[in-house]
């Protein structure tokens, strides 16, 4: 008797990251990113700190993260210690370790949509059944927790949230967080809280962490969003010591360790006074960018008389904005038209579960943002008067490859 092996799940490309990596360095302005203008090494270090960096040895560092850095990260969470922390190459690697450690084919996974689709894609690639808790614009992107209760079953292995959310910028209330925890407790599902945007609130206190609210919990974070230090590629996972050990075993296969100079810089950045300054810098850039965006949206509304008009729902955090447009063209094709005609890169909402939307970042120098928004307005005026065909860009190999990857798999 011949045994036919089961067909492996189809690999799910990470469409958003693929799109950005193909074009972000080839356009005049990149507004598809999700952090503020990042710092150069020189501009935020004292002379003594620069010397410390230069003195950092380039031998293999502690594989799970230097003791100094793990202690500094633990200080960000109540009652956490260094033993609760694994330092990773960005939160992207931490999230990948979560999926590799917890998920098996056939598991059910619940994610929030719109959202950053890393866990969504990893779970699909592993043969999991993925369910989406929909955040809806008519509800100002607030979650329907009754819907979450209905999505979670005895087969649910993992519930994954990004809080504050990318791309909507909402932050869960205390009541919403408690309801999410209670939903996981009911069936024993793991909760993964990607908290890379904590500290990006444009006013008021930092969003509370899920840490300490549940036993089967993994929180992830990074130096990229709240600190403007994306190039360090330093992230972390936070969980109970036994789970950290499990994550660590996968970490050894993936990267061995994060870079020693990056860990030195991250430890400097997390010193309380330095951290406060970095977060305030990021918030100031976000507030200035949002003020500019509000003015631009008002001008677009006045000029368009309803055709091609952008709208935006309220948000509390991040330097990114999720803009809805009113022309009947898929967001990938809208983004491609903007890129090809205006050399501005924006993120198609379809890559995050938000068709008819574009994600843009406004946390850069105001002149740069102002000029890019004007270019986007020009491109959208062209589309409003003469919508493009979905075949536009078929002569561009990179666009065609991504469009091909978006076709349904059979």
């Amino acid at each position: 008797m011949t045994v036919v092996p089961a067909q492996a799940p189809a690999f799910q490309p990470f469409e958003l990251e693929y799109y950005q990596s193909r074009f972000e360095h080839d356009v005049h302005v990149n507004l598809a990113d999700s952090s503020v203008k990042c710092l150069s090494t020189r501009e935020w270090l004292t002379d003594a700190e620069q010397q410390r960096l230069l003195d950092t040895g380039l031998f293999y560092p502690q594989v799970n993260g230097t003791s100094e850095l793990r202690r500094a990260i633990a200080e960000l969470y109540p009652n956490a210690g260094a033993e609760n922390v694994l330092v990773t190459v960005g939160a992207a690697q931490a999230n990948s370790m979560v999926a590799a450690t917890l998920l098996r084919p056939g598991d059910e996974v619940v994610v929030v949509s719109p959202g950053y689709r890393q866990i969504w894609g990893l779970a699909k690639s592993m043969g999991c059944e993925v369910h989406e808790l929909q955040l809806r614009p008519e509800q100002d992107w607030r979650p329907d927790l009754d819907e979450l209760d209905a999505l979670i079953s005895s087969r649910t292995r993992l519930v994954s949230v990004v809080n504050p959310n990318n791309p909507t910028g909402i932050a869960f209330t205390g009541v919403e967080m408690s309801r999410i925890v209670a939903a996981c407790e009911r069936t024993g599902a793991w909760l993964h809280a990607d908290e890379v945007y904590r500290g990006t609130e444009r006013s008021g206190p930092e969003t509370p962490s899920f840490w300490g609210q549940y036993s089967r919990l993994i929180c992830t974070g990074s130096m990229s969003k709240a600190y403007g230090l994306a190039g360090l590629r330093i992230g972390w996972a936070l969980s109970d010591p036994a789970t950290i050990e499990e994550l660590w075993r996968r970490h050894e296969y993936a990267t061995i360790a994060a870079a020693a100079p990056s860990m030195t810089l991250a430890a400097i950045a997390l010193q309380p006074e330095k951290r406060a300054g970095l977060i305030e810098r990021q918030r100031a850039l976000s507030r200035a960018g949002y003020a500019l965006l509000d003015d631009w949206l008002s001008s677009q509304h006045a000029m368009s008389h309803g055709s091609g008009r952008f709208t935006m729902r309220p948000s509390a955090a991040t330097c990114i904005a999720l803009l809805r447009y009113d022309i009947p063209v898929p967001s990938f094709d809208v983004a491609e038209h903007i890129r090809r005609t205006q050399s501005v890169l924006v993120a198609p909402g379809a890559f995050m579960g938000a068709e008819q939307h574009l994600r843009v970042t406004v946390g850069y120098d105001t002149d740069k943002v102002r000029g890019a928004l004007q270019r986007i307005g020009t491109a959208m005026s062209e589309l409003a008067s003469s919508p493009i065909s979905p075949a536009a860009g078929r002569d561009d190999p990179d666009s065609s490859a991504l469009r091909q990857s978006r076709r349904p798999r059979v």
Side-chain angles (χ1 to χ4, degrees):
M1 176 179 177
T2 302
V3 177
V4 179
Q7 185 175 2
F11 174 72
Q12 173 65 51
F14 201 162
E15 295 174 327
L16 174 63
E17 293 296 338
Y18 175 35
Y19 189 64
Q20 290 182 253
S21 64
R22 295 306 300 171
F23 300 120
E24 61 189 350
H25 297 292
D26 298 327
V27 291
H28 184 73
V29 183
N30 174 22
L31 293 190
D33 213 339
S34 55
S35 60
V36 297
K37 178 184 178 183
C38 289
L39 289 152
S40 68
T41 304
R42 185 186 305 278
E43 64 186 301
W44 67 282
L45 296 180
T46 65
D47 290 344
E49 290 163 346
Q50 290 183 42
Q51 188 59 52
R52 180 184 170 190
L53 174 63
L54 293 174
D55 289 340
T56 299
L58 298 182
F59 45 80
Y60 282 111
Q62 288 176 263
V63 170
N64 61 332
T66 62
S67 297
E68 178 190 21
L69 178 54
R70 285 185 291 116
R71 286 193 298 266
I73 292 168
E75 286 293 321
L76 304 177
Y77 302 88
N79 302 314
E83 69 278 7
N84 297 114
V85 178
L86 173 68
V87 175
T88 60
V89 181
Q93 194 223 337
N95 295 340
S96 180
M97 296 298 96
V98 170
T101 302
L102 297 182
L103 299 182
R104 301 293 181 269
D107 285 343
E108 290 188 359
V109 177
V110 176
V111 301
V112 174
S113 184
Y116 185 66
R117 290 197 150 187
Q118 185 183 9
I119 293 293
W120 178 90
L122 288 169
K124 283 181 173 288
S125 294
M126 295 174 71
C128 297
E129 185 177 334
V130 180
H131 303 282
E132 299 181 38
L133 172 64
Q134 295 291 334
L135 308 180
R136 296 181 171 83
E138 62 271 20
Q139 298 171 347
D140 286 338
W141 304 118
R142 303 312 311 179
D144 182 339
L145 281 310
D146 291 334
E147 182 179 336
L148 176 63
D149 287 335
L151 288 174
I152 295 180
S153 74
S154 60
R155 293 180 55 224
T156 302
R157 176 67 171 166
L158 179 68
V159 175
S160 181
V161 301
V162 179
N163 188 44
N165 178 261
N166 170 11
T168 68
I170 66 139
F172 295 136
T173 66
V175 171
E176 289 167 345
M177 293 173 71
S178 296
R179 284 284 304 275
I180 291 169
V181 168
C184 293
E185 284 181 326
R186 179 167 50 83
T187 61
W190 279 86
L191 174 60
H192 165 238
D194 180 334
E195 298 176 340
V196 297
Y197 292 96
R198 283 186 66 216
T200 68
E201 302 80 9
R202 293 188 294 278
S203 63
E206 289 186 29
T207 300
S209 172
F210 275 95
W211 179 252
Q213 299 189 37
Y214 185 44
S215 58
R216 295 168 68 86
L217 168 71
I218 303 175
C219 297
T220 55
S222 85
M223 301 302 302
S224 297
K225 313 303 181 184
Y227 304 94
L229 299 173
L232 293 188
R233 306 310 307 130
I234 291 292
W236 57 84
L238 192 80
S239 193
D240 64 274
T243 301
I244 288 297
E245 286 289 329
E246 290 293 313
L247 295 168
W248 187 352
R249 300 293 79 78
R250 276 76 176 178
H251 177 66
E252 289 161 339
Y253 271 112
T255 64
I256 306 298
S262 288
M263 288 198 277
T264 294
L265 289 169
I268 293 171
L270 291 179
Q271 295 170 0
E273 186 174 338
K274 185 76 75 173
R275 178 180 186 270
L278 290 170
I279 285 183
E280 181 48 41
R281 170 189 176 271
Q282 167 265 133
R283 287 183 168 191
L285 284 167
S286 296
R287 287 192 293 264
Y290 253 82
L292 185 63
L293 178 64
D294 285 341
D295 289 343
W296 180 77
L297 289 171
S298 296
S299 68
Q300 286 290 303
H301 182 88
M303 291 168 54
S304 65
H305 304 292
S307 178
R309 185 181 69 243
F310 285 104
T311 56
M312 180 178 65
R313 296 289 177 168
S315 70
T318 80
C319 66
I320 52 181
L322 190 60
L323 305 179
R324 180 173 179 84
Y325 58 88
D326 291 340
I327 57 176
V329 179
S331 59
F332 177 77
D333 294 296
V334 171
E336 277 296 272
H337 180 74
I338 294 170
R339 179 184 70 84
R340 291 163 60 83
T341 64
Q342 299 296 323
S343 195
V344 175
L345 193 67
V346 299
F351 292 170
M352 290 159 281
E355 186 53 275
Q356 294 297 119
H357 289 78
L358 301 173
R359 191 191 74 180
V360 301
T361 185
V362 295
Y364 299 135
D365 295 331
T366 52
D367 287 345
K368 177 178 179 178
V369 175
R370 183 182 295 107
L373 291 176
Q374 290 172 351
R375 293 183 185 208
I376 292 171
T378 297
M380 294 303 289
S381 294
E382 295 169 354
L383 288 177
S385 60
S386 180
I388 60 174
S389 163
R394 60 184 178 272
D395 57 333
D396 185 323
D398 292 321
S399 296
S400 297
L402 185 52
R403 182 176 280 106
Q404 179 71 26
S405 77
R406 304 211 72 237
R407 292 178 180 173
R409 289 167 176 76
V410 296

